[in-house]
Amino acid sequence: MAAVTIYHNPRCSKSRQTLQLLQENGVEPEVVLYLEDTPPLETLARIIVMLGVSVREFMRTGESAYKDNNLKDSSLSDRQLLEAMVEHPKLIQRPVVLANGQARIGRPPESVLEIL
């Protein structure tokens, strides 16, 4: 099986459930604690392309950093939004699993099984 990576926040129940589901299916993924080891802008951009979503769709819009930094502003470029996610990693959707050249957000956790 190809390498599997999970961008994980252990404080998030969906992230914990997704990691557990992977392990129950015999997958020991590389765990990236993205709040501590924030992916660079280029990696985030690649994940977004793999997911087939917009940069804004990949953001957690309910986070205080979204409101505090006026990220709702529609004039902001994708690069500016990506830079905000690098600066404030809580804005990154979670959990994200990468496998076999594809990516899925683990909401619901079972969605990640499609790419294994």
Side-chain angles (χ1 to χ4, degrees):
M1 177 182 293
V4 176
T5 302
I6 182 171
Y7 288 85
H8 179 58
N9 177 351
R11 296 188 65 179
C12 169
S13 63
K14 292 294 183 203
S15 197
R16 290 191 309 270
Q17 291 168 12
T18 300
L19 178 58
Q20 181 178 351
L21 181 64
L22 290 170
Q23 292 169 332
E24 288 170 355
N25 281 273
V27 176
E28 277 304 324
E30 174 189 358
V31 176
V32 177
L33 300 174
Y34 70 92
L35 293 177
E36 299 169 16
D37 186 16
T38 306
L41 185 144
E42 296 77 16
T43 299
L44 290 176
R46 183 175 53 86
I47 291 169
I48 289 166
V49 169
M50 292 169 74
L51 287 167
V53 298
S54 71
V55 174
R56 199 170 292 281
E57 288 172 316
F58 190 61
M59 297 184 84
R60 296 176 56 83
T61 59
E63 293 292 332
S64 60
Y66 189 83
K67 295 173 187 70
D68 295 346
N69 292 285
N70 195 31
L71 298 175
K72 186 177 184 177
D73 181 348
S74 61
S75 71
L76 294 173
S77 69
D78 285 352
R79 181 164 187 93
Q80 288 171 305
L81 296 174
L82 285 164
E83 288 170 351
M85 283 189 275
V86 170
E87 188 174 338
H88 306 282
K90 282 188 172 187
L91 293 169
I92 299 170
Q93 279 291 353
R94 63 176 185 257
V96 177
V97 174
L98 308 180
N100 298 308
Q102 299 180 67
R104 291 290 184 280
I105 296 172
R107 293 178 179 274
E110 295 76 20
S111 67
V112 304
L113 298 177
E114 301 169 357
I115 62 173
L116 298 181

